[in-house]
Structures are given as C-alpha cells and as structure tokens.
Amino acid sequence: MDWAGWPDTYDRVLLDEVDSTMAEAARRAPTLTTPTWILARSQTAGRGRRGRAWRNPWGNFAATLIYRPDGPPDQVALRSFVAALALYDALSKVVPPAKLSLKWPNDVLLGGGKVAGILLESTGVAGQVNWLSIGIGINLTQAPSMAEVEPGAVPPVAVAEFTTARLRPEGVLFELAVAFDALERSFATYGFEPIRNRWLAHAAKLGETITARVGSDNIVGVFDTVDAAGNLVLRTPRGPKAIAAAEVFF
C-alpha cells in the first residue's frame, strides 16, 4: 500500500504472525530509537487486560505502539484516552461516527457492542517510565462469541457488521497512526483537558447508572464525569466516588 503521509517520527514493523504484539514490543524495546508501531496479521497468544486471552483471527487488527513518553507515570497513563480518541477518529472514517462511543477505561463501542480494546503496559525505574506499550485490538472481520467473554460483558461486534468496505489491517494502522500522532501532539502542547473534553463528548452511558467492579466490590452510581486524573467519577448515595481502576458493567 501507499504509506505517503505516514507520521515521519514513527517507525513501523509489519509481521504475518507473532505470539503477541505486546510481547514483541517488549523484545524489541532495548534496540528501538524511535516510536514504533508493530502490526501482526495474526497473533497466537494475544492478550487483553488482566491477562485475558484476546483472539485475533486473520483479518482482524492487532498492533502495539511502543515509545518513550514524557512525564510522570500518572500522566503517561492518560495515553489510554489519547489512544481511544485515535481509534474513534480512525474508525469514524468507515462507520457512522454516531454509532461509535467510548467506554471507560479503555474500550471502543460500535452500535453498543465492543469493537476494540486498549491495553497499556509500561516499564520504568525511580518513578519514571522508560517505555510505554499501547496494545490495540480491533474486531475488523470477526467478533468473539458471547461464550468467549465474561458474564455481563458488553457483547462483542465486528466492524464488518456495520460497513461494506473491505478493511485491511495495514490501512487501519495508517489511519490510526496519523490520528494518534495528531492527538499526542495536542496532549504534549495543551495537556489532558482538551483530550478529556473530547473523550467525554463520546462517552458511553454518561449520566446513566452503571456498575464499577473494584476487586470483589460493586459500586453502583451515575456516571458523572472523568476527572483531571482520568478517574471515573460516580454519583452514589454516599456522595461522589472517584475510581482509578475498575471493570465497568452496564
């Protein structure tokens, strides 16, 4: 394909098959000198949050961006919102934007079903992040069955259910990389607030009652906002509750 317009400060690696793009990013990190996107057309051991398996049949999308971000760990973690918006921008070129929404903390929904997920992993010392890996999986052609996801999870869907366009992972990578580069530049210049506002404009279930599972506890409340630290803020009978990490159920 024609890669003209690819962000010139990013490298890319295209693989037919790999165990996991996240694992491949970790292996390559010591020798990388520039931010690098790693795309695999097939993964044999893909994984999502909390070590869950992420099935990646041929035709779906699996990629990891690995780079050295600026800022302390709490600011680095906000790149999950940057990645979510980049996914929104890339997918909105092929499906109606009104059908896309963003689910805290790191999922993209299409027609109310989960179409993509984001996984962040980092390494560092002395309170500084050396490398950040942002793994992204998109159900382009096929979605897992409900039997493959945990009870109560948002039903999975595939992009192919919403468009007749035949999408190649390489083309999606191009659009995603361009969108991420623009948003990363915005984050570096203006901080998190514009990113936060844009994310909230596309947030799923904002103003509605949801459940956040923290360990073995379920916290039920109205989804009020995402604060300046990226925390989910729920209005509960006991007052506002800011949640840094949780599984969210509708």
Side-chain angles (χ1 to χ4, degrees):
M1 63 170 284
D2 183 2
W3 293 96
W6 175 269
D8 57 11
T9 57
Y10 291 74
D11 200 355
R12 62 182 178 272
V13 175
L14 308 179
L15 304 170
D16 280 338
E17 184 176 277
V18 73
D19 53 352
S20 156
T21 59
M22 294 292 276
E24 183 68 12
R27 289 189 288 265
R28 290 176 179 256
T31 61
L32 295 179
T33 57
T34 59
T36 300
W37 284 95
I38 300 172
L39 172 74
R41 297 178 181 90
S42 177
Q43 289 187 127
T44 59
R47 54 190 168 83
R49 293 185 72 226
R50 304 182 188 276
R52 298 187 184 115
W54 180 280
R55 189 166 65 87
N56 186 60
W58 194 273
N60 276 3
F61 181 93
T64 294
L65 170 63
I66 181 165
Y67 70 117
R68 294 180 182 272
D70 293 326
D74 59 338
Q75 290 295 302
V76 169
L78 296 175
R79 266 38 177 237
S80 64
F81 295 91
V82 175
L85 283 174
L87 267 170
Y88 178 93
D89 289 346
L91 292 175
S92 66
K93 292 181 177 293
V94 293
V95 298
K99 290 186 176 295
L100 291 166
S101 58
L102 306 177
K103 177 176 178 284
W104 188 93
N106 54 10
D107 291 341
V108 179
L109 307 184
L110 176 57
K114 179 176 176 177
V115 74
I118 301 164
L119 175 65
L120 267 64
E121 293 182 351
S122 62
T123 62
V125 294
Q128 294 296 315
V129 176
N130 289 337
W131 290 101
L132 174 67
S133 294
I134 304 176
I136 295 175
I138 310 173
N139 301 325
L140 289 181
T141 61
Q142 302 178 51
S145 68
M146 283 302 294
E148 296 177 81
V149 301
E150 67 176 312
V154 174
V157 298
V159 175
E161 300 171 38
F162 294 83
T163 179
T164 58
R166 298 186 63 183
L167 303 179
R168 296 176 58 199
E170 296 88 343
V172 175
L173 176 65
F174 179 90
E175 298 296 343
L176 182 59
V178 170
F180 185 91
D181 178 51
L183 289 160
E184 175 73 1
R185 291 174 186 271
S186 172
F187 184 91
T189 303
Y190 303 109
F192 181 53
E193 190 64 10
I195 298 292
R196 185 181 79 91
N197 288 335
R198 264 206 71 199
W199 190 97
L200 285 169
H202 305 302
K205 304 297 183 180
L206 187 66
E208 298 183 30
T209 299
I210 62 174
T211 298
R213 182 175 298 164
V214 183
S216 59
D217 296 331
N218 286 334
I219 303 170
V220 179
V222 174
F223 179 11
D224 186 46
T225 190
V226 167
D227 67 19
N231 297 319
L232 174 71
V233 180
L234 299 183
R235 294 200 312 270
T236 76
R238 297 185 177 182
K241 178 72 173 179
I243 300 169
E247 300 282 349
V248 170
F249 298 89
F250 298 156

